[in-house]
Amino acid sequence: MGFKYAYYKGRNLLAPLLPAKRFYSIRQVCEHYKVPVRYAPNINGEEFLSYAGQLDLDLIISVAAPQVFKAALIAIPKQGCINIHNAKLPKYRGMLPNFWQMYHGERNVGTSIHRINAKIDDGDIVLQRETPIQPGETLDSLIVRTKKIGAQLMIEAIAGLKSGSLQPIANSSAEATYFGFPSKRDVSEFRRKGYRLI
């Protein structure tokens, strides 16, 4: 997985020198479609909050954001902020949920679009879908497949928020489970159970 990550990073750096047959980063996609890109070292800092506040935003969408959204940022867009999480919340909150769902022998994995609040993966669920884990599927192939499902679900969520047709589902903290990033021991156990990373 580390080699794959490094490969994509390297291809992204070399992108200006290569024929544009494939994208290797969000930045490349945005540049191709003339969408402005802005890096924000601190999304909760005054500089970014001031910038976001001037945009008259309807919605902020989080996809694998490495920073926690705080109250001041969440309050800026008219429709709030939503996040995509690859588990059937409230179960499997936290890091790398596809890994943990396979690790615990789940037959299906979830994809949830939920509102962002002050806690991790805790806001009301806007849309949710389950998909079966296919026989012999690797963690990598499952991640790729559920990212595609998640993209479609996000499009549906945006349309539903715009039309006002969505009925939020409670994301019960009492039923929640939370997992951090897997340790080497967790990965060894994952393999011992017969699963493969890639």
Side-chain angles (χ1 to χ4, degrees):
M1 296 293 282
F3 283 123
K4 185 175 180 181
Y5 176 81
Y7 171 78
Y8 275 83
K9 283 290 188 183
R11 294 289 292 194
N12 180 50
L13 290 172
L14 295 171
L17 308 172
L18 301 170
K21 294 181 180 177
R22 188 171 173 190
F23 299 122
Y24 293 94
S25 71
I26 296 296
R27 184 185 185 103
Q28 280 183 286
V29 175
C30 290
E31 287 175 350
H32 180 80
Y33 290 102
K34 310 279 191 282
V35 175
V37 176
R38 182 185 179 101
Y39 285 104
N42 181 3
I43 59 173
N44 299 294
E46 285 185 29
E47 182 182 346
F48 185 76
L49 291 175
S50 174
Y51 164 75
Q54 295 169 23
L55 296 178
D56 191 31
L57 297 172
D58 292 315
L59 183 69
I60 290 178
I61 297 169
S62 164
V63 180
Q67 300 180 53
V68 175
F69 286 40
K70 294 186 179 173
L73 178 60
I74 296 168
I76 289 175
K78 299 180 192 79
Q79 292 271 1
C81 304
I82 57 174
N83 179 56
I84 185 165
H85 185 73
N86 280 12
K88 190 175 181 184
L89 293 171
K91 303 293 186 188
Y92 298 103
R93 294 181 184 185
M95 301 292 293
L96 209 57
N98 278 328
F99 173 90
W100 292 112
Q101 288 168 100
M102 290 180 81
Y103 181 94
H104 287 104
E106 301 286 358
R107 294 185 177 183
N108 300 307
V109 293
T111 303
S112 302
I113 310 292
H114 68 93
R115 291 198 173 276
I116 296 175
N117 64 15
K119 297 179 182 178
I120 303 295
D121 301 327
D122 184 69
D124 283 350
I125 298 157
V126 174
L127 272 181
Q128 199 167 62
R129 188 160 295 155
E130 280 190 285
T131 185
I133 298 173
Q134 296 173 355
E137 189 161 34
T138 66
L139 176 61
D140 182 60
S141 63
L142 180 63
I143 289 171
V144 170
R145 192 163 61 84
T146 55
K147 293 291 184 195
K148 292 175 182 177
I149 292 167
Q152 184 58 48
L153 199 62
M154 182 62 79
I155 292 167
E156 292 175 31
I158 294 166
L161 287 169
K162 186 175 181 181
S163 68
S165 62
L166 297 177
Q167 297 295 321
I169 305 164
N171 188 355
S172 171
S173 295
E175 298 174 26
T177 57
Y178 181 89
F179 296 90
F181 200 80
S183 66
K184 287 183 179 180
R185 186 174 182 176
D186 296 324
V187 172
S188 295
E189 181 64 13
F190 182 88
R191 288 179 170 146
R192 191 194 66 76
K193 291 180 178 188
Y195 300 120
R196 293 179 298 132
L197 296 176
I198 193 166

